[in-house]
Amino acid sequence: MKKIFSFAAKAILAASALVLLASCEQKEKLNLFTWTYYTPKAVVQAFEKEFNCKVIVTEYDSNETMFNKLINGGAKSFDIVVPSQDYVSILIAKDMLQPINQEKFTNRDKINPNLLDKISYDPEMTYAVPYYYGAAGICVNKKKVPGGNYERSWNIFADSQFKGHASMMDDYREVFGDALKHLGYSVATTNDSELDEAVNLIKTNWLPNIVKFDAEGFGKDFARGDLWLCQGYAECVYGEVPENEWADTIDFFIPEKGGPSYLDSMCILKNSKKVDLASEFINFIHRPENYAQFLDIFQFPCYVNPEAEQYMKTSPMYPASAMDNCELKDDIGEYLANYYDKWEKLRLQSN
């Protein structure tokens, strides 16, 4: 009798498993292609529950990796992608995106209008909905330079008290952009004389004090005390310094004139068959209480979706208003080669 009941129980369990498996297979799938660690799991799971679907998340570490994947056949595999501003322009130009379903995008009024004023390539959010707006700034080690006796502008790199203890990012759009902004020019200038003036400022005034160009390890060097001054993203420094030492160690600021900035946006790929569900996901992210969860992970400032700030459980590393005068590093097409050539010559002089 026990064997009969055991067999019956196993049969019921097996049937239940098949039903559950069939149910999972029938769920609509949404394929998200995004930056590493960029989408909170709790938000994804809440979306899956509300819309009875499955979100497949595939991650990348650079715009170049993302773009190469898309143009080499990957575009057919994903529904949503999250490129930065210059690559949004490229994807639009190559007709690789399709419009957001605006009827589903009921949270479009949550997007900061000041941010939309900065967007030239898609100001109406036809193809791209802002996800995160950020900018690099300046970090000074207050323990090494007590008293705050330094200029709070990009020209701080001309200050000889930081000689041998200063670094800037190994990124020519960032470094040239800092100098251009300091001189009152656009970070996306295509004017030869303006770019030459910026390069000369860096070469003559800044380079003598810079120990290296580094886009990866500057946070660790700052935390060790090797760097007293660095240009870079706040999270790279705050992430290396113990939180109980932040107030006494780190002075992070973005100069009043602003600097280069970036904007990652959510876009729906041309080949997606899930435009409605993808539009729902984008709208879901911008429910303020959901967007706040993303900001809390990194302690990012609340610039894109100001209403989310009231739901944040952490304090941002710096105020969103610090980026008011920042300018997007827009795609400058073939003129980018001029930036690269001048950067390579500058790098040779720094060695």
Side-chain angles (χ1 to χ4, degrees), residues 89-162:
S89 297
I90 292 170
L91 293 174
I92 291 174
K94 290 186 174 293
D95 194 28
M96 295 176 68
L97 303 178
Q98 62 178 298
I100 308 294
N101 183 333
Q102 297 297 324
E103 291 185 0
K104 302 286 186 183
F105 187 24
T106 58
N107 287 320
R108 67 175 292 127
D109 63 332
K110 303 294 191 296
I111 306 301
N112 188 345
N114 292 334
L115 175 59
L116 297 180
D117 288 342
K118 299 175 184 287
I119 302 173
S120 60
Y121 52 86
D122 188 28
E124 298 298 323
M125 297 185 288
T126 302
Y127 295 99
V129 174
Y131 185 63
Y132 181 67
Y133 180 67
I138 295 168
C139 277
V140 177
N141 189 323
K142 294 194 290 187
K143 290 182 178 179
K144 299 294 183 180
V145 191
N149 184 26
Y150 44 83
E151 186 177 347
R152 300 181 72 81
S153 79
W154 292 114
N155 205 45
I156 190 175
F157 289 96
D159 190 337
S160 61
Q161 71 175 315
F162 297 105

Side-chain angles (χ1 to χ4, degrees), residues 40-259:
K41 288 184 178 179
V43 175
V44 170
Q45 291 169 351
F47 179 80
E48 290 175 326
K49 182 177 181 181
E50 182 170 330
F51 289 89
N52 190 33
C53 66
K54 178 66 178 175
V55 178
I56 311 298
V57 180
T58 305
E59 299 175 334
Y60 53 82
D61 59 4
S62 72
N63 281 293
E64 292 76 17
T65 298
M66 172 272 298
F67 185 68
N68 287 333
K69 177 78 171 179
L70 294 182
I71 62 175
N72 286 299
K76 297 180 180 179
S77 304
F78 306 109
D79 300 298
I80 298 175
V81 68
V82 191
S84 300
Q85 67 288 330
D86 47 348
Y87 277 84
V88 172
S89 297
I90 292 170
L91 293 174
I92 291 174
K94 290 186 174 293
D95 194 28
M96 295 176 68
L97 303 178
Q98 62 178 298
I100 308 294
N101 183 333
Q102 297 297 324
E103 291 185 0
K104 302 286 186 183
F105 187 24
T106 58
N107 287 320
R108 67 175 292 127
D109 63 332
K110 303 294 191 296
I111 306 301
N112 188 345
N114 292 334
L115 175 59
L116 297 180
D117 288 342
K118 299 175 184 287
I119 302 173
S120 60
Y121 52 86
D122 188 28
E124 298 298 323
M125 297 185 288
T126 302
Y127 295 99
V129 174
Y131 185 63
Y132 181 67
Y133 180 67
I138 295 168
C139 277
V140 177
N141 189 323
K142 294 194 290 187
K143 290 182 178 179
K144 299 294 183 180
V145 191
N149 184 26
Y150 44 83
E151 186 177 347
R152 300 181 72 81
S153 79
W154 292 114
N155 205 45
I156 190 175
F157 289 96
D159 190 337
S160 61
Q161 71 175 315
F162 297 105
K163 185 178 178 63
H165 297 284
S167 79
M168 298 191 79
M169 295 175 69
D170 191 5
D171 184 322
Y172 55 93
R173 288 299 302 271
E174 284 289 334
V175 176
F176 288 168
D178 296 342
L180 287 164
K181 203 69 175 172
H182 181 72
L183 293 168
Y185 303 135
S186 168
V187 303
T189 186
T190 55
N191 181 297
D192 289 342
S193 63
E194 292 178 355
L195 184 57
D196 286 341
E197 188 178 347
V199 172
N200 187 62
L201 172 66
I202 298 165
K203 180 172 64 176
T204 304
N205 296 356
W206 299 0
L207 196 57
N209 298 319
I210 295 172
V211 68
K212 63 179 176 177
F213 292 106
D214 174 22
E216 296 180 359
F218 63 88
K220 294 182 185 298
D221 290 340
F222 185 97
R224 282 196 300 266
D226 296 336
L227 290 178
W228 304 354
L229 168 67
C230 62
Q231 172 236 10
Y233 298 112
E235 59 269 24
C236 296
V237 171
Y238 281 88
E240 298 294 341
V241 176
E243 189 168 355
N244 63 344
E245 298 179 18
W246 287 0
D248 295 330
T249 305
I250 305 170
D251 179 15
F252 176 86
F253 61 92
I254 296 173
E256 188 175 350
K257 287 186 176 181

